[in-house]
């Protein structure tokens, strides 16, 4: 529990819009590479790439805009993102998300499979990302 309420509400406020943009990016990336006739394996990586563009673009812009205009520096925002997401993202982009997307698309078809794969991969991603995010918040709270 945080001072403002349940932790899940804080997480929803932080990650909700980013997830919506990532979801749209996932479909855009998958279908863009599918239309280019790359095959399902590369299209699955396209879904991961599209997800990243939508998700991290939203996180970056929100964190950047939250800083007072005189304190907006690229390095601290990127370092915080690297800390919070680095390990989870490396595993997610290179292994988990493409494998799960490929599996769910082959089982459920493209229309449902891309979304189902995104949701399933997010469970693995957030298990790591929230651990690092909360660790950074606790460390910053002690200062």
């Amino acid at each position: 529990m945080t001072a403002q309420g349940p932790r899940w509400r804080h997480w929803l406020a932080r990650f909700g819009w980013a997830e919506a943009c990532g979801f749209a990016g996932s479909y855009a990336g998958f279908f863009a590479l599918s239309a280019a006739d790359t095959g399902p394996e590369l299209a699955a990586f396209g879904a991961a790439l599209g997800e990243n563009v939508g998700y991290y673009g939203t996180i970056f812009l929100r964190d950047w805009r939250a800083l007072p205009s005189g304190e907006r520096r690229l390095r601290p925002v990127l370092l915080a993102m690297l800390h919070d997401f680095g390990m989870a993202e490396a595993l997610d982009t290179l292994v988990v998300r493409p494998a799960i997307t490929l599996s769910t698309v082959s089982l459920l078809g493209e229309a449902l499979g891309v979304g189902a794969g995104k949701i399933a991969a997010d469970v693995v991603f957030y298990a790591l990302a929230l651990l690092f995010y909360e660790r950074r918040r606790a460390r910053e709270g002690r200062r």
Side-chain angles (χ1 to χ4, degrees), residues 22-85:
F23 195 82
S26 184
Y27 273 96
F30 182 86
F31 287 118
L33 287 180
S34 286
D37 227 6
T38 61
E41 294 83 7
L42 285 179
F45 276 100
L49 179 62
E51 161 95 13
N52 288 345
V53 170
Y55 184 84
Y56 292 115
T58 303
I59 295 281
F60 175 82
L61 287 175
R62 194 215 37 250
D63 289 356
W64 177 265
R65 289 179 180 161
L67 295 171
S69 61
E71 295 179 26
R72 289 185 180 155
R73 304 280 186 271
L74 185 62
R75 183 180 167 96
V77 175
L78 292 177
L79 285 176
M81 289 176 66
L82 181 63
H83 176 275
D84 294 352
F85 303 112

Side-chain angles (χ1 to χ4, degrees), residues 5 8 10 20 29-30 36 48 61 64 77 86 94 106-107 112 129 133:
W8 68 267
H10 172 77
F30 182 86
L61 287 175
W64 177 265
V77 175
L94 298 174
S106 67
L107 290 171
L112 291 175
Y133 173 67

